[in-house]
Amino acid sequence: MQVREVMTKRPDYCPADATIRQVAERMRKDDSGFEPLVQNDRIIGTVTDRDLTIRALAEGKSPDDKASSVATTDVLYAFEDQDVKDVLRNMQEQRVQRLVVLNNQNDKSFVGVVTLSDIADRCEDDEIAREIANCSKHYH
């Protein structure tokens, strides 16, 4: 199974200058906990619901502060033609639940997001189920 078969496609995303409030509103609208920030068709960072709690709320940020101030700038990604098992191993190594999905190694255009839950929703393979469980072991 390839990533393109399980990923969530995203037609649009937040601009790099979005505020914390705008990102939170977008997450609510899309029922998502992950939002890429884009500048000139390039992902400059990602914001998770955890970032909003740990980095924004706990550090006393204003909802009107730039979301980039709480974003993770080391963007982790997969390609849409990668095998899901390889992506799960990468998620486990990186200790993440979500990856940005790019179309291919040449263009590197943003085409969506793949999450553990995307993979679990479409999982019909015992080996993949074990990999999902392994990815989740470090969460308490």
Side-chain angles (χ1 to χ4, degrees), residues 4-52:
R4 73 169 50 92
E5 298 172 57
V6 299
M7 71 183 202
T8 300
K9 294 179 181 160
R10 293 290 305 271
D12 56 357
Y13 28 80
C14 283
D17 64 349
T19 65
I20 291 170
R21 181 188 323 274
Q22 289 169 321
V23 168
E25 288 170 348
R26 178 58 166 274
M27 286 179 180
R28 179 180 60 197
K29 175 183 162 265
D30 292 343
D31 192 25
S32 170
F34 182 84
E35 189 62 39
L37 300 177
V38 178
Q39 182 175 38
N40 300 325
D41 294 326
R42 186 168 171 253
I43 299 173
I44 59 110
T46 58
V47 180
T48 66
D49 45 6
R50 181 174 167 85
D51 293 331
L52 294 180

Side-chain angles (χ1 to χ4, degrees), residues 32-137:
S32 170
F34 182 84
E35 189 62 39
L37 300 177
V38 178
Q39 182 175 38
N40 300 325
D41 294 326
R42 186 168 171 253
I43 299 173
I44 59 110
T46 58
V47 180
T48 66
D49 45 6
R50 181 174 167 85
D51 293 331
L52 294 180
T53 303
I54 304 299
R55 293 184 181 162
L57 187 61
E59 292 178 8
K61 299 272 186 181
S62 162
D64 298 318
D65 286 343
K66 297 295 179 196
S68 58
S69 70
V70 298
T72 299
T73 56
D74 185 17
V75 179
L76 302 175
Y77 59 89
F79 295 109
E80 65 181 347
D81 63 351
Q82 276 186 280
D83 187 276
V84 168
K85 291 176 188 173
D86 294 333
V87 171
L88 282 168
R89 283 186 209 102
N90 185 21
M91 287 177 161
Q92 183 178 12
E93 289 171 11
Q94 300 298 325
R95 299 177 61 110
V96 297
Q97 297 178 30
R98 308 162 179 112
L99 293 173
V100 166
V101 180
L102 307 178
N103 64 337
N104 61 54
Q105 290 182 334
N106 296 326
D107 297 337
K108 294 187 177 177
S109 295
F110 174 54
V111 294
V113 172
V114 65
T115 68
L116 283 180
S117 108
D118 288 334
I119 297 167
D121 285 347
R122 293 162 186 88
C123 175
E124 297 178 7
D125 179 297
D126 288 343
E127 185 180 344
I128 292 176
R130 280 190 295 278
E131 291 295 331
I132 292 168
N134 287 336
C135 286
S136 302
K137 283 184 179 177

